[in-house]
Amino acid sequence: MMPLTILTTCFNWTAAALRLPLFPEQASANAPNVDALYFFMLAVCGGVSIAIVLLIFYFAVKYRRRTPDQLAEEAHVPVALEWAWIIIPSLFFMSFFGWGAFLYFADAKAPKDALEIACTGRQWMWKFQHPDGQREINMLHIPVGKPVKLVMVSEDVIHSMFVPAFRIHMDVIPKRYTEVWFEATKPGTYHMFCSQYCGTEHANMIGSVVALEPHEYQTWLNGAATGSLALRGEALFNKLACNGCHTGDAEARGPYLPGLYGRNVQLTTGEVIVADENYIRESILKPGVKIAAGYDNIMPGYDGQLTEEQIIELVAYIKHLGKKYEQFEPVAPPTAPAPRPAGQNPDQTLPTGNVKPSMTPGTSPPATTAPAGAVPTPPPASEGTRPKPN
Amino acid sequence: MIEENVSLPRIHYLNSHYGWKSWLFTTDHKRIGLLYMVSITLMFFLGGFFALLIRLELLTPQADMFTADTYNKFFTLHGVILIFFFLVPSIPATLGNFLIPLMIGAKDVAFPRLNLLSWYIFVIGSLFTLWVVAVGGIDTGWTFYTPYSTTFANTHVIAATLGVFFTGFSSILTGLNFIVTIHKMRAPGLTWFRLPLFIWSLYATSIIQVLATPVLGITMVLIAAERFAKVGIFDPALGGDPVLFQHMFWFYSHPAVYIMILPSLGVVSELISAFTWKRVFGYKFVAVSSLMIAIFSFIVWGHHMYVSSMSIYAGMLFSILSYLVAVPSAVKVFNWTATLYKGSVSYDTPMLYALGFIGLFTIGGLTGLFLASMGLDRHLHDTYFVIAHFHLIMVGGAVMGYFGGLHYWWPKMFGRMYPEWWGRLSALIVFVGFNLSFFPQFIIGYLGMPRRYHVYAPEFQVLNVMSTAGSSILGVGYLLPLVYFIWSLRYGKVASNPWRAKGLEWETTSPPPPENFLEQPIVTEEAYNYPTRPAQPGKQTGKLTGGLNPPASPTATATGTGREAEVV
């Protein structure tokens, strides 16, 4: 990746010399990879355009009409040339396609240990809910060196989450969760834009992503938390009497929820789907659409009775119930670290109160910031990427 | 080029009938072409005016000229007017209507009354839109994305969608008319592979118009229905799917981009051939590539939606198809360049427009490759990079082609020449202004400025100022032709075929008689059959043999062209 480093440096020097920004910051693990493809295509396409323009100039000058009656000369151009410039560009196009698709697929699914932050877009603000219950508006604090997954939904129209420094972009759609993830590599404050036109104040639906060193992030986290998302979700779950049917018994009227998230579920139609956030959400709001095999369509729908934030809490609770069959037990209160059930992600229950900010076990050590232009190793692609059911 | 001793024909289509009725109830394709020209010119300058207002607002990072709502209405009207009421009808409805029968040796199009009807429908659609402009505008963006357009917008969405709906019919009827005309009305001897490339590209365009436009019509009706009857097709609050709208919309609007650019590609093929006096290199490849583009254009709509929550596998398919549609476009560029080789290149105004077109179309097409790549589009989607890319194609491509064609066929339409020096100046100004307008936008886009922002981060300002400066230069370049074309109608030098170009349309008088040809032309040779001289290493010039000079009168038989005018 040496050429890329040189190119990036050249770009930055040019920008400094011209006092013009030419190039956004590279602040995520994925940014150098995107830029590498960009520079490769810039080199190829720029070369081709310059070649064509020079050739046209050369021909237009060399073969200009010198006398009013000058005819064209007989020219014999082999037809093989025609096939050459059909096939060779096609090969280049396929290389662009392959590289671009590879980049996209490598990052299509967030790593399993990603920190999940819920994001709600509305006209015209961004709202974030951290797993420990911290809420922010138009600001997003994240740790450097740790994959962060945003699970996003809109309350009104389509928005789009765009952080140029991270080279990420994902539409935020009403009544449907979309995901995007990134791993910040440099502490700093970065632009966050809404890039899908959403009405009057579209241009002001902007915010900042604040990437902090892990210990600073920890300090920030120890601010006002009001109970973790899953805990609030549990309270809501009990308040809405969901636990009346989803008791976890074999004879229960509702399906068994622990371990549901990420599992294959067979429906009454015989179809098998993955229980992702969107399925859980739909089952809360419109339970009759996709009924798990072996159960009756008796659950009332909660469409219109819950706010987006409440739905996020419920989904967080159901996801928290683990990915394996295990004892159905309430979420530990946030005053003590929760015992981690086997095979479950360390969830973000962090001690609150006067605890010195320290690395809690299970979080990755702080990554040293890579020098500009260096390419961090890409995260391992998780297996089993499946298309999201649309 | 100067022609000696040319005089206007005594009777031609402009003076054969008089009075406003003879225009409003005409079925002559040439007059209908002019009616279209007047209407879309009005729309062009209206949309361009909005563009200048947008660029003025973007001079500074703050909102200091217009409120957010006003700005949103401006960019929406700019898009709606220029796309649906200028770019889509531009070349087909004006040059196409005027030239298709002339180029294929027919008296008129297949359905002359339908042709007039399509203009009336276009006018009705335009009036709807002008009414929207007058009563307060629409602020959804030309893409009308749901659920904003169906539920949240408080502007005149229904009227605007109805306007677009009506105009769609005009587009369908025009396409239908052209397909039948090209199939059934060709002169004897004019086989498919003797057709001018302009006809090929219009044929491909017409296919897209007939097959894709109905989908737009349906989509617009559904938006209107959703707004007043709460049908629940797109709005998730009513059980609809907002992304479904994007699929339906782009199913028309991506092919629509090719409706805008394909005719231009045809015009440029004509221009390159006429101003090098040489047959277009690889004629069959260029002809078939138009059809290929038309076919592929239908299956790439999803590349607008990589980050819209569409399945990544679907995205991959659309990505690879988008690269395939780039191949025939590239072929055309290479073939035009090869046509210049050993040609006799003149620098008349239309040729300058054509060469400028090739440059802009190349850059526009290549930047499209960036956006077709999924990994890069995740960064570039909905930024100014996209804006710059599609303006290069639609404005740098479609408008340059349209202007080049207008200059080339102006003497054919009116029998008079525009001032050559001013023409070359306008071509130059448009080219320079265009590049200055849109090149900085690529950089702004990669930096991350989203589209449709009227306030932006201060670090984008320098490039935005450049862009605004370029747009004012571009505005001057567009106003110049308006002035000198009008001037030329009365004072221009009389001309018949100043380029000494070949093609059936030049076999008749300029302006043509109402029935186009006094006798049925019979074609006995390939298209662009210019005489050549043997290949020479030196700088000797061959003398022009007979055949390039147009016949002095339509009754005279052209010698040496191989086209025998026979009384049928």
Side-chain angles (χ1 to χ4, degrees):
Chain A
M1 276 315 191
M2 200 57 200
L4 173 67
T5 317
I6 295 167
L7 266 171
T8 314
T9 317
C10 285
F11 249 76
N12 289 332
W13 283 351
T14 317
L18 295 173
R19 307 236 170 116
L20 269 184
L22 291 180
F23 197 64
E25 262 186 300
Q26 293 181 332
S28 74
N30 191 35
N33 305 334
V34 175
D35 291 343
L37 173 58
Y38 177 64
F39 284 133
F40 169 66
M41 290 183 69
L42 213 55
V44 174
C45 297
V48 169
S49 343
I50 290 167
I52 287 176
V53 169
L54 289 179
L55 205 61
I56 286 175
F57 261 103
Y58 174 74
F59 284 163
V61 172
K62 182 168 181 194
Y63 299 110
R64 67 186 180 276
R65 195 172 294 173
R66 289 183 169 85
T67 63
D69 290 344
Q70 178 185 317
L71 293 179
E73 286 178 51
E74 271 175 37
H76 296 289
V77 184
V79 179
L81 202 63
E82 183 81 60
W83 288 107
W85 66 50
I86 290 177
I87 290 163
I88 294 169
S90 305
L91 295 177
F92 270 109
F93 293 168
M94 286 306 111
S95 75
F96 299 154
F97 159 74
W99 192 340
F102 170 79
L103 267 184
Y104 200 89
F105 268 70
D107 281 352
K109 270 274 186 272
K112 290 222 178 339
D113 61 340
L115 165 65
E116 281 193 32
I117 298 175
C119 161
T120 312
R122 61 172 304 178
Q123 290 174 322
W124 289 279
M125 61 169 77
W126 294 106
K127 297 189 288 188
F128 297 95
Q129 291 161 277
H130 290 255
D132 290 2
Q134 290 89 347
R135 293 168 170 234
E136 308 182 73
I137 288 184
N138 289 348
M139 291 279 276
L140 173 61
H141 288 79
I142 52 163
V144 162
K146 182 167 174 53
V148 174
K149 177 163 104 172
L150 295 180
V151 180
M152 307 184 290
V153 68
S154 160
E155 288 183 11
D156 37 44
V157 301
I158 298 179
H159 303 282
S160 193
M161 165 61 68
F162 177 36
V163 183
F166 296 166
R167 313 284 191 276
I168 55 135
H169 210 123
M170 192 71 203
D171 281 7
V172 181
I173 298 176
K175 314 261 177 198
R176 182 190 303 172
Y177 292 121
T178 51
E179 287 176 11
V180 70
W181 78 276
F182 47 84
E183 185 181 332
T185 51
K186 253 167 60 178
T189 304
Y190 306 108
H191 284 300
M192 172 168 69
F193 295 121
C194 169
S195 66
Q196 185 63 269
Y197 178 66
C198 55
T200 305
E201 291 296 328
H202 164 61
N204 289 321
M205 190 168 162
I206 55 179
S208 307
V209 181
V210 184
L212 300 168
E213 291 293 0
H215 62 275
E216 291 172 340
Y217 177 71
Q218 213 54 57
T219 314
W220 180 83
L221 271 187
N222 292 340
T226 50
S228 77
L229 279 194
L231 190 72
R232 297 161 65 99
E234 186 189 29
L236 197 56
F237 192 81
N238 299 335
K239 191 178 132 201
L240 297 169
C242 311
N243 51 9
C245 299
H246 298 276
T247 56
D249 302 336
E251 305 81 39
R253 280 170 295 177
Y256 184 69
L257 296 181
L260 170 74
Y261 178 66
R263 209 173 64 216
N264 289 345
V265 174
Q266 189 167 13
L267 305 181
T268 46
T269 56
E271 195 189 351
V272 175
I273 55 142
V274 182
D276 57 358
E277 285 100 342
N278 272 316
Y279 171 71
I280 296 173
R281 174 202 173 90
E282 185 185 57
S283 302
I284 295 170
L285 302 184
K286 293 180 184 161
V289 179
K290 296 191 181 102
I291 305 159
Y295 294 93
D296 297 329
N297 183 10
I298 52 173
M299 172 171 160
Y302 288 85
D303 201 3
Q305 302 176 42
L306 299 169
T307 64
E308 286 296 346
E309 278 133 338
Q310 285 178 315
I311 301 170
I312 286 169
E313 287 159 3
L314 276 177
V315 174
Y317 171 65
I318 291 167
K319 281 165 70 173
H320 172 88
L321 289 173
K323 298 192 171 160
K324 295 236 183 322
Y325 289 96
E326 63 209 16
Q327 210 43 45
F328 185 82
E329 48 180 47
V331 184
T335 47
R340 201 190 313 159
Q344 193 195 308
N345 294 340
D347 77 349
Q348 311 299 321
T349 46
L350 290 161
T352 51
N354 294 331
V355 183
K356 269 195 212 130
S358 65
M359 299 298 299
T360 48
T363 48
S364 52
T368 48
T369 49
V375 184
T377 49
S382 58
E383 66 258 35
T385 50
R386 308 178 65 97
K388 287 197 239 9
N390 276 337
Chain B
M1 284 219 170
I2 298 163
E3 284 177 292
E4 301 299 333
N5 310 326
V6 191
S7 57
L8 288 174
R10 200 175 58 81
I11 299 274
H12 51 76
Y13 76 103
L14 291 166
N15 67 8
S16 57
H17 301 85
Y18 280 107
W20 60 271
K21 278 187 188 172
S22 75
W23 282 91
L24 288 185
F25 299 119
T26 182
T27 53
D28 182 355
H29 66 98
K30 300 182 286 298
R31 286 188 167 204
I32 292 170
L34 295 194
L35 290 176
Y36 262 117
M37 193 196 287
V38 172
S39 7
I40 70 169
T41 303
L42 289 174
M43 286 309 217
F44 174 72
F45 283 101
L46 183 62
F49 173 67
F50 285 127
L52 281 176
L53 293 180
I54 292 169
R55 284 306 335 162
L56 275 178
E57 167 58 66
L58 291 173
L59 259 177
T60 57
Q62 306 81 28
D64 39 20
M65 272 187 76
F66 311 115
T67 61
D69 271 330
T70 313
Y71 179 84
N72 295 344
K73 285 171 183 170
F74 283 168
F75 76 66
T76 302
L77 289 167
H78 165 73
V80 168
I81 288 172
L82 283 180
I83 287 173
F84 295 117
F85 296 91
F86 172 71
L87 282 171
V88 169
S90 61
I91 295 180
T94 54
L95 298 176
N97 254 328
F98 196 99
L99 291 161
I100 284 184
L102 285 168
M103 281 182 154
I104 64 176
K107 280 193 167 59
D108 207 317
V109 291
F111 307 117
R113 290 185 194 82
L114 203 64
N115 206 6
L116 183 64
L117 176 69
S118 78
W119 180 70
Y120 274 103
I121 293 174
F122 176 80
V123 169
I124 293 171
S126 308
L127 289 176
F128 261 106
T129 310
L130 293 175
W131 184 79
V132 170
V133 174
V135 296
I138 165 177
D139 71 339
T140 58
W142 80 275
T143 47
F144 303 110
Y145 268 23
T146 55
Y148 183 75
S149 61
T150 57
T151 312
F152 292 85
N154 295 317
T155 45
H156 300 268
V157 178
I158 293 182
T161 49
L162 282 181
V164 172
F165 175 76
F166 272 107
T167 317
F169 276 101
S170 144
S171 191
I172 294 170
L173 294 180
T174 305
L176 192 75
N177 221 332
F178 286 177
I179 289 176
V180 178
T181 307
I182 294 168
H183 266 281
K184 306 299 289 182
M185 314 275 285
R186 302 194 305 278
L190 187 55
T191 58
W192 279 96
F193 281 115
R194 286 179 177 177
L195 282 175
L197 290 165
F198 182 53
I199 303 289
W200 271 101
S201 68
L202 279 179
Y203 182 72
T205 309
S206 304
I207 291 175
I208 303 178
Q209 283 179 318
V210 170
L211 294 179
T213 319
V215 180
L216 177 77
I218 294 164
T219 314
M220 292 296 136
V221 168
L222 287 177
I223 286 190
E226 182 111 352
R227 262 185 92 81
F228 68 75
K230 300 276 176 279
V231 182
I233 293 164
F234 302 132
D235 187 352
L238 305 167
D241 180 352
V243 182
L244 172 69
F245 171 82
Q246 295 175 29
H247 282 288
M248 292 175 75
F249 179 81
W250 290 115
F251 186 83
Y252 164 78
S253 293
H254 192 79
V257 175
Y258 293 98
I259 295 177
M260 302 166 208
I261 192 66
L262 267 171
S264 255
L265 300 170
V267 167
V268 171
S269 298
E270 295 293 314
L271 298 182
I272 298 280
S273 171
F275 292 93
T276 52
W277 280 346
K278 199 162 170 284
R279 184 181 163 86
V280 173
F281 175 76
Y283 167 94
K284 280 190 183 177
F285 282 95
V286 180
V288 172
S289 69
S290 292
L291 284 184
M292 284 291 145
I293 290 176
I295 293 165
F296 277 120
S297 73
F298 278 96
I299 44 179
V300 296
W301 79 89
H303 66 210
H304 297 263
M305 303 167 57
Y306 291 147
V307 297
S308 70
S309 85
M310 189 173 70
S311 141
I312 53 176
Y313 296 97
M316 193 172 77
L317 195 68
F318 283 123
S319 176
I320 201 164
L321 289 168
S322 304
Y323 282 110
L324 287 181
V325 83
V327 175
S329 319
V331 164
K332 282 180 189 280
V333 171
F334 292 134
N335 280 5
W336 293 327
T337 311
T339 306
L340 294 176
Y341 174 68
K342 292 199 173 177
S344 168
V345 184
S346 92
Y347 298 156
D348 292 318
T349 309
M351 186 60 168
L352 295 187
Y353 271 107
L355 294 178
F357 170 97
I358 298 178
L360 297 179
F361 179 71
T362 304
I363 299 170
L366 289 170
T367 48
L369 300 178
F370 288 69
L371 296 166
S373 157
M374 297 171 78
L376 270 181
D377 186 66
R378 189 159 36 181
H379 173 52
L380 294 172
H381 182 84
D382 271 348
T383 60
Y384 260 81
F385 196 96
V386 179
I387 304 263
H389 155 70
F390 74 69
H391 278 84
L392 271 155
I393 293 286
M394 292 177 180
V395 190
V399 180
M400 290 289 266
Y402 177 58
F403 274 44
L406 272 186
H407 285 84
Y408 175 52
W409 283 296
W410 196 256
K412 174 49 59 185
M413 289 175 169
F414 299 103
R416 291 183 180 274
M417 276 295 279
Y418 51 86
E420 179 61 28
W421 188 87
W422 285 100
R424 291 182 191 185
L425 185 70
S426 79
L428 197 68
I429 291 178
V430 167
F431 186 77
V432 170
F434 189 88
N435 278 309
L436 188 56
S437 295
F438 293 104
F439 211 82
Q441 294 188 4
F442 284 118
I443 304 169
I444 304 175
Y446 202 81
L447 275 170
M449 177 172 167
R451 60 195 287 198
R452 297 168 171 172
Y453 270 32
H454 66 294
V455 293
Y456 53 85
E459 65 258 36
F460 304 138
Q461 187 177 1
V462 180
L463 292 158
N464 268 303
V465 170
M466 282 186 198
S467 184
T468 300
S471 68
S472 17
I473 296 174
L474 192 58
V476 172
Y478 285 153
L479 282 168
L480 271 182
L482 180 75
V483 175
Y484 64 66
F485 273 148
I486 293 174
W487 176 89
S488 75
L489 291 179
R490 168 154 290 210
Y491 305 105
K493 204 171 158 3
V494 175
S496 178
N497 180 2
W499 328 117
R500 291 196 269 172
K502 300 202 81 162
L504 277 182
E505 79 268 31
W506 299 108
E507 303 277 309
T508 182
T509 53
S510 303
E515 64 276 26
N516 294 348
F517 297 93
L518 296 182
E519 303 101 2
Q520 171 69 57
I522 293 179
V523 182
T524 54
E525 58 173 9
E526 303 305 305
Y528 316 122
N529 198 12
Y530 290 96
T532 54
R533 57 195 169 121
Q536 299 164 34
K539 284 191 180 179
Q540 310 143 10
T541 52
K543 279 302 284 177
L544 190 68
T545 52
L548 278 182
N549 295 310
S553 75
T555 49
T557 303
T559 49
T561 59
R563 285 204 182 94
E564 303 300 326
E566 291 179 15
V567 183
V568 178

